[in-house]
Amino acid sequence: DAHQVGARRLRQYCPCAGCVDEWSGNRTLDIDAVPEEMKVVEAQPVGNYALSFTFGDLHRTGIYQWQYLKDLSTQA
């Protein structure tokens, strides 16, 4: 079952501590400020459980677990 998530959505919902407050869980990144033309320039596996992306703005600290990626692909 194939799922797709666009680069902009991946960047908007980056789960790293720089984009989400570690204590409250509130998103600190302004998702509307992420450009429409955001690109993924590199994707790397993280063990057998996740992917890490490098984006066009050179942000690269998020670790996207498989279930999180699936959830992003099915949410509006």
Side-chain angles (χ1 to χ4, degrees):
D1 197 18
H3 297 275
Q4 291 185 0
V5 184
R8 182 173 191 248
R9 183 166 175 79
L10 287 172
R11 180 65 183 92
Q12 287 174 318
Y13 293 96
C14 178
C16 83
C19 295
V20 179
D21 182 271
E22 293 181 78
W23 301 106
S24 70
N26 293 329
R27 184 151 302 282
T28 55
L29 173 71
D30 178 3
I31 64 171
D32 294 326
V34 176
E36 292 285 340
E37 64 277 0
M38 181 58 66
K39 303 273 189 242
V40 170
V41 296
E42 187 176 28
Q44 294 287 325
V46 178
N48 291 322
Y49 68 94
L51 289 174
S52 175
F53 301 99
T54 301
F55 295 94
D57 62 358
L58 302 183
H59 184 76
R60 64 178 60 190
T61 55
I63 295 174
Y64 296 75
Q65 294 187 18
W66 297 120
Q67 185 61 52
Y68 186 67
L69 288 169
K70 184 177 179 184
D71 293 346
L72 282 178
S73 75
T74 58
Q75 296 169 359

